[in-house]
Amino acid sequence: MATETSSHPIRIDAQFDSGNIEVLSIDGATARLTIPADHQSEFRQWFHFRVTGAAGRKLTLKIVDLGTSAYPEGWPGYRACVSEDRDFWGRADSTYDKDANGGTLTITYTPASGIAWFAYFAPYSMERHHDLVAEAAASEGVSYRHLGNTLDGQPIDCLELGEGENQVWLYARQHPGESMAEWWMEGALECLTDPADPVARKLRQLCTFHIVPNCNPDGSRRGHLRTNAAGTNLNREWHEPSPEKSPEVLAIRNAMDETGVDFAMDVHGDEAIAAVFLAGFEGIPSWSDALGEKYTRYQRILERRTPDFQTAKGYEVARPGTANLAMSTNQLAERFGACSMTLEMPFKDNDDLPDAAQGWSPERSKLLARDCLASLLEWLETPAA
C-alpha cells in the first residue's frame, strides 16, 4: 500500500532568477510541462525549474509542444541538466519523441533529496554574476567600468586589465539562455587575474582586456533564451543599436569605439550542434585574405591545443559580400578591421569527446576559456609566416 509520502503530488516552481516553466498538469510524480516564450518574443527553449516532494521517487517530466520551439533540432540527443545541490550539474535520462504532443522531451530522474533542479543548461545566476564581478574587480590590476544600464535598470558591467597595445574584447551572453558562456567567462577571469599564471602574466603585458561577462542581464534574470527585456535579439542589433530596443549593444559598441578592437571573441552556445566551434566574418564588404588568415590561424592553434575544439562541424560560411553586419562578429571585423569571432559551445555533449555524467558542463566551459587564452598568446607571439 502506497504511503502518503509516495503518493502525494510533487510540486514544481520557477519563480526565481532565470526560472522558466509552465505547469500544465501534475499526477503524483509525473508532470506535463511547457516552455513559455521570451517576453515580447516567439523564442522559447530555455527552461529552469525545481521539483520538491520527490525524494526517492522516480520523476517523469514531460515537456510538450517542442516542435514549435526556437530550435527543435536541439532536442534529439539532448539530456536535461539536473542538480540536487546547485553546485554539481549532471544529466538526467531524457528522450525526445517528435510525434508526441507536438514534440515531447521526457525526463526521468529519481532524486535522493527533497529538492531537484532541472535546467536546459547549468544556470549562471545574476547573484553569481555579481560575485564574479566583485571578485575580479578586487584583483590587482583590474579596474571596473560601468558601461550603461539595461531596460530593467541593471548595470552593464565591464572589467579591464592589462597594459599591452592589443585591444582585446571578450563578451558573453548576448543570448541569456546560453549560460555556458558566462561559465566560460568565469574561467577566463580566473586565469587572467591569477598572478601566478604565466599565460595571464604574458597576456597582460601584450594586451589590454575589456571583458563583459554578461551582455544581457535582463534576459538572464527573466529566464529568456535569446532576448532582452524588450524581446530584442541583441546579436542582430550591432549595425544600428538603439536606446529603446538595445541599450546593451549601444553601450558596449560605444565603449569599443573609444578603445578600438584588435581581437574580439563573442561567447555563445549552440542548441543543435554537439561540438565546440568558431564562426568567423567571411562575407564582410572589406574582407581581405590577410585578415581571414588571422582568423584561420587562431582556429588552427586552438584545435591543436585542446581536443574539445574542432573545425569539421559548424555554420555555413557566408558568401562574399553577404555578411550580416547586424551581428557583432561581422560588425567588429568590418568596423575595426578586428580579428573577431563567435565561439560556440554545445547544450548537448561534445560528441567527439563525450562525458556520460555531465555532457558539456560548466567545468569544461571554464577549462576551454584558458585554452582560448593560451591560444591567443601563441597567436600573438607567432605572427603569420
Side-chain angles (χ1 to χ4, degrees), residues 41-316:
S41 168
E42 294 182 357
F43 287 109
R44 59 186 192 90
Q45 192 104 0
W46 171 263
F47 63 87
H48 181 199
F49 59 91
R50 70 174 196 169
V51 179
T52 60
R57 303 168 70 184
K58 181 180 179 180
L59 293 170
T60 303
L61 309 171
K62 295 180 177 291
I63 306 180
V64 303
D65 196 27
L66 295 178
T68 56
S69 62
Y71 301 99
E73 67 277 13
W75 303 114
Y78 166 80
R79 294 182 297 147
C81 295
V82 61
S83 179
E84 294 185 42
D85 61 6
R86 298 211 301 167
D87 182 24
F88 177 84
W89 287 84
R91 297 281 177 154
D93 290 338
S94 308
T95 58
Y96 181 66
D97 184 345
K98 66 180 179 60
D99 298 318
N101 295 302
T104 297
L105 182 75
T106 300
I107 305 166
T108 56
Y109 182 75
T110 303
S113 64
I115 308 178
W117 303 74
F118 296 86
Y120 190 35
F121 193 80
Y124 201 101
S125 71
M126 287 307 301
E127 284 304 306
R128 190 178 184 106
H129 165 84
H130 290 301
D131 289 342
L132 174 67
V133 170
E135 183 174 355
S139 301
E140 185 177 355
V142 179
S143 60
Y144 171 81
R145 184 178 181 187
H146 173 261
L147 300 184
N149 288 93
T150 68
L151 292 168
D152 283 347
Q154 295 190 81
I156 303 165
D157 299 318
C158 182
L159 297 156
E160 299 185 327
L161 68 156
E163 56 274 350
E165 63 181 14
N166 296 287
Q167 300 295 324
V168 176
W169 279 82
L170 308 175
Y171 54 107
R173 288 189 88 178
Q174 290 201 75
H175 299 149
E178 297 165 12
S179 53
M180 64 284 288
E182 196 157 6
W183 288 109
W184 186 98
M185 280 292 180
E186 184 173 301
L189 283 165
E190 285 178 356
C191 172
L192 288 170
T193 59
D194 183 351
D197 192 308
V199 168
R201 292 175 66 188
K202 191 64 179 177
L203 280 172
R204 291 195 300 268
Q205 292 174 11
L206 296 174
C207 305
T208 298
F209 285 90
H210 313 270
I211 301 172
V212 184
N214 189 331
C215 297
N216 195 339
D218 292 352
S220 301
R221 181 173 286 167
R222 286 167 173 258
H224 287 185
L225 171 75
R226 204 165 173 83
T227 66
N228 69 357
T232 301
N233 178 354
L234 295 183
N235 203 26
R236 300 297 184 274
E237 290 286 307
W238 283 76
H239 186 52
E240 294 182 314
S242 71
E244 297 78 22
K245 289 181 57 185
S246 48
E248 302 91 345
V249 173
L250 183 61
I252 296 167
R253 202 188 70 174
N254 284 346
M256 289 175 169
D257 283 341
E258 293 175 16
T259 66
V261 183
D262 295 310
F263 181 96
M265 184 173 284
D266 180 14
V267 189
H268 285 258
D270 185 85
E271 293 79 3
I273 300 175
V276 178
F277 60 97
L278 288 170
F281 48 87
E282 301 89 348
I284 63 169
S286 63
W287 167 269
S288 70
D289 290 342
L291 185 56
E293 170 57 22
K294 289 184 178 181
Y295 166 65
T296 56
R297 186 164 59 86
Y298 182 86
Q299 277 190 309
R300 292 194 299 269
I301 294 170
L302 184 57
E303 187 171 30
R304 177 172 49 77
R305 294 196 70 102
T306 173
D308 260 337
F309 178 76
Q310 56 77 58
T311 56
K313 306 168 193 171
Y315 298 146
E316 184 177 349

Side-chain angles (χ1 to χ4, degrees), residues 297 301 377-385:
R297 186 164 59 86
I301 294 170
L377 178 57
E378 182 177 339
W379 183 82
L380 288 167
E381 291 191 318
T382 55

